[in-house]
Amino acid sequence: MDGWRASALLVSQLAGRPAPGTPPFLLACFCRSLSSPVPTGTCAPRSSRPDPEPEPESVFPREVRLFSDSYSESSRFCFCGHELSITQNFGSRLGVAARVWDAALSLCNFFESQNVDFRGKKVIELGAGTGIVGILAALQGGDVTITDLPLVLEQIQENVRANVPSGGRAKVCALSWGMDQHGFPGNYDLVLGADIVYLEPTFPLLLGTLQHLCGPHGTIYLASKMREEHGTESFFQHFLPQHFQLELAQRDEDVNVNIYRARHREGRPAGHHPSC
């Protein structure tokens, strides 16, 4: 692999969104918890973590300038009678976390076509990226927590401010799967995720996070591009069914996106209920 490609992939790993085709020797980068300052107005669960690791900027020197074409782009989307203005900050810092992916749009369309009721529901979105899915849930009446790795929170917060009226129930928090979930309540009514199933080493971490967050009578909605090379189907065939009743709620053939609905196989007592 040439030096540019290896460096670009490393940047994507450190941004929390590994690029497609990432070789095994770089996968370990993604599995680390990234620590960076949390933007004003966000929250992070308390935990007894070791000293934070250096930010990606200190690991990957700024002067390399692999992404000199970094830029921001604002796009408009309409769902459930709401016009959303979503900013995407493309470049090395966020990697593929910057983009609104097909799976997120498919999930928003699904909520609209199925008239999914968010009113008064306690909702959390995982790996939110731009935050578009959680923002729509908040506008539809949900009490929503939108999560991703620390580096991504500033972009999400920008989009929340642009779309959710003052007083709206949407907050932004850092959450690293397999590490931070116990700092969050275990009684969410709805757990949402769009295009977050694509790296096999994270599958057990994601499964454990879903197990904790989804309330005894809660529902999980996951929209995923079905990438054969990333083992996405394996997560839904072998991992989720271990603990959840799973059904294919919708298949979007045009963009190769499946939307799955999952619920706990057996009722479980609600867990610890800290506040994010």
Side-chain angles (χ1 to χ4, degrees):
M1 175 180 295
D2 63 84
W4 185 94
R5 176 64 174 162
S7 299
L9 288 171
L10 179 58
V11 170
S12 293
Q13 296 287 341
L14 292 171
R17 289 293 189 280
T22 302
F25 75 90
L26 286 178
L27 293 182
C29 296
F30 177 79
C31 298
R32 299 186 305 180
S33 171
L34 300 180
S35 298
S36 63
V38 178
T40 302
T42 65
C43 55
R46 295 183 296 273
S47 65
S48 55
R49 290 190 181 184
D51 292 337
E53 295 182 78
E55 287 193 80
E57 289 85 351
S58 64
V59 176
F60 191 83
R62 292 177 181 274
E63 60 266 21
V64 174
R65 300 185 61 82
L66 290 179
F67 294 87
S68 57
D69 58 343
S70 297
Y71 66 99
S72 295
E73 179 180 285
S74 182
S75 302
R76 294 190 178 275
F77 305 90
C78 292
F79 299 106
C80 305
H82 305 288
E83 182 174 310
L84 308 182
S85 176
I86 301 296
T87 297
Q88 303 165 85
N89 296 302
F90 296 102
S92 63
R93 182 171 176 81
L94 296 186
V96 296
R99 179 177 169 182
V100 176
W101 294 92
D102 289 335
L105 299 179
S106 292
L107 191 54
C108 290
N109 276 317
F110 175 81
F111 292 153
E112 181 174 40
S113 65
Q114 299 300 309
N115 195 28
V116 174
D117 187 7
F118 290 98
R119 292 171 298 176
K121 300 290 179 63
K122 188 168 183 160
V123 184
I124 188 167
E125 183 186 4
L126 304 180
T130 63
I132 185 172
V133 172
I135 288 169
L136 179 62
L139 293 174
Q140 288 293 95
D143 181 0
V144 183
T145 300
I146 306 174
T147 72
D148 210 315
L149 294 174
L151 270 175
V152 191
L153 301 188
E154 187 174 354
Q155 173 174 266
I156 298 173
Q157 192 71 270
E158 179 181 359
N159 285 326
V160 167
R161 286 194 297 266
N163 292 280
V164 180
S166 178
R169 309 198 71 174
K171 61 182 176 181
V172 180
C173 296
L175 195 166
S176 297
W177 307 340
M179 299 186 69
D180 295 339
Q181 69 267 23
H182 293 290
F184 290 76
N187 63 342
Y188 286 96
D189 300 306
L190 294 168
V191 182
L192 314 177
D195 223 353
I196 62 174
V197 180
Y198 54 85
L199 189 62
E200 291 188 67
T202 69
F203 290 177
L205 306 177
L206 175 56
L207 179 61
T209 301
L210 293 171
Q211 284 181 264
H212 171 74
L213 295 175
C214 185
H217 305 290
T219 301
I220 299 168
Y221 286 105
L222 296 178
S224 289
K225 178 85 77 171
M226 302 307 291
R227 301 179 179 91
E228 183 177 349
E229 68 275 17
H230 292 164
T232 303
E233 189 172 358
S234 172
F235 181 80
F236 294 104
Q237 286 190 346
H238 305 298
F239 282 83
L240 264 189
Q242 294 176 27
H243 301 282
F244 294 94
Q245 293 178 334
L246 184 67
E247 62 176 316
L248 178 62
Q250 180 174 291
R251 165 76 180 160
D252 193 338
E253 200 71 45
D254 291 340
V255 290
N256 189 29
V257 169
N258 286 358
I259 298 177
Y260 292 93
R261 180 165 41 228
R263 297 184 176 94
H264 282 288
R265 284 196 170 277
E266 299 177 359
R268 66 174 180 86
H272 180 49
H273 293 174
S275 176
C276 165

